[in-house]
Amino acid sequence: MLFLNSFNWMPLLLTGKLALITTLILVIIGVPLAYKIAFSKSRFKPVFEALIGMPLVLPPTVIGFYFLLLFSPAYGFGKYLKNIFDIQLVFSFSGLVIASLLYSLPFMVQPIQNGLQSLPKNLHEASYILGKSKWQTLWYVLLPNSKKAILTGMVLTFAHTIGEFGVVLMVGGSIPNKTQVASSIIYEHVEALNYEAAHKYSAILLLISFVILVAVYSLSKNNMSFLRRNN
């Protein structure tokens, strides 16, 4: 009971809140985007795939730095939001959400895209013959047969957002009760040589990550090729 009373749960709650919001928004955005890319015949398809996949290869500090410039009230877009709407995204939870959406986008889109591309072609061809539109085919035919891919994308997105550090630290600034997530407070405790506190947060995240990975591997072995390629 002493541990429960003295422990600061807010960073973990903010981490869970950020991961949940990011996952819910990205599943709404990611499904139609993955569908468009999966069945696109455009010669620019590799360009779009590369843009979405950039967070997989870029260091988080690079992405965080450019988000910091983009959201800063001293420059361009951030200055426009501040002057016109009195909105400041840098060092705010809203800024963390927007940064997380872009940073975690490939972890939602690519598993769903792979799932859609692995479906038999006769599924959507039969739907078109029966007079269904592309969106009706997606909603009533393709998505019900891609549940495992969608669940995999959601779990991977949630897990990836929980583990974010460089991006959230640069954009959010680790403000207590506002933008200080679990990864940030662990870093701060280690810097202060407070290993006991760092161990408590790390152990909780370790347990959560293990449970998430068990869930991912249980969902579908076929959709794990994406995860293996990027580890």
Side-chain angles (χ1 to χ4, degrees), residues 64-202:
F65 171 70
Y66 283 112
F67 275 132
L68 188 61
L69 292 182
L70 180 65
F71 295 162
S72 173
Y75 303 99
F77 179 66
K79 186 176 182 179
Y80 172 79
L81 290 178
K82 184 64 176 178
N83 292 340
I84 303 300
F85 301 104
D86 195 28
I87 296 175
Q88 179 172 312
L89 292 177
V90 69
F91 307 136
S92 71
F93 186 79
S94 298
L96 287 186
V97 171
I98 295 174
S100 296
L101 289 175
L102 296 175
Y103 189 48
S104 295
L105 183 62
F107 289 86
M108 180 66 74
V109 172
Q110 291 194 11
I112 299 176
Q113 178 186 343
N114 291 341
L116 291 172
Q117 289 175 335
S118 67
L119 294 176
K121 291 185 178 180
N122 58 10
L123 279 178
H124 47 87
E125 290 175 353
S127 180
Y128 295 152
I129 292 174
L130 293 173
K132 302 297 182 182
S133 66
K134 289 184 177 181
W135 291 110
Q136 286 176 320
T137 300
L138 173 64
W139 185 256
Y140 295 108
V141 179
L142 301 182
L143 291 187
N145 289 282
S146 304
K147 290 180 180 179
K148 290 183 179 179
I150 296 172
L151 286 173
T152 299
M154 293 177 68
V155 174
L156 286 175
T157 300
F158 189 88
H160 182 252
T161 306
I162 284 179
E164 289 178 8
F165 174 64
V167 171
V168 296
L169 183 63
M170 296 188 75
V171 174
S174 190
I175 302 172
N177 300 326
K178 187 176 180 182
T179 62
Q180 187 184 60
V181 294
S183 58
S184 300
I185 200 170
I186 290 172
Y187 175 75
E188 291 173 8
H189 281 310
V190 171
E191 271 199 322
L193 303 181
N194 188 358
Y195 296 141
E196 183 180 353
H199 168 67
K200 291 177 181 178
Y201 287 104
S202 299

Side-chain angles (χ1 to χ4, degrees), residues 3-118:
F3 168 75
L4 294 177
N5 292 332
S6 61
F7 189 74
N8 180 13
W9 292 95
M10 186 55 68
L12 291 171
L13 294 176
L14 282 175
T15 301
K17 180 181 176 181
L18 178 63
L20 182 61
I21 293 174
T22 300
T23 301
L24 292 178
I25 295 177
L26 277 185
V27 75
I28 296 172
I29 298 173
V31 168
L33 186 57
Y35 171 76
K36 282 288 187 181
I37 295 175
F39 299 106
S40 172
K41 296 181 180 179
S42 171
R43 60 180 178 176
F44 298 108
K45 178 179 177 179
V47 176
F48 295 130
E49 290 179 313
L51 288 173
I52 291 173
M54 287 291 281
L56 297 174
V57 295
L58 279 177
T61 49
V62 172
I63 300 174
F65 171 70
Y66 283 112
F67 275 132
L68 188 61
L69 292 182
L70 180 65
F71 295 162
S72 173
Y75 303 99
F77 179 66
K79 186 176 182 179
Y80 172 79
L81 290 178
K82 184 64 176 178
N83 292 340
I84 303 300
F85 301 104
D86 195 28
I87 296 175
Q88 179 172 312
L89 292 177
V90 69
F91 307 136
S92 71
F93 186 79
S94 298
L96 287 186
V97 171
I98 295 174
S100 296
L101 289 175
L102 296 175
Y103 189 48
S104 295
L105 183 62
F107 289 86
M108 180 66 74
V109 172
Q110 291 194 11
I112 299 176
Q113 178 186 343
N114 291 341
L116 291 172
Q117 289 175 335
S118 67

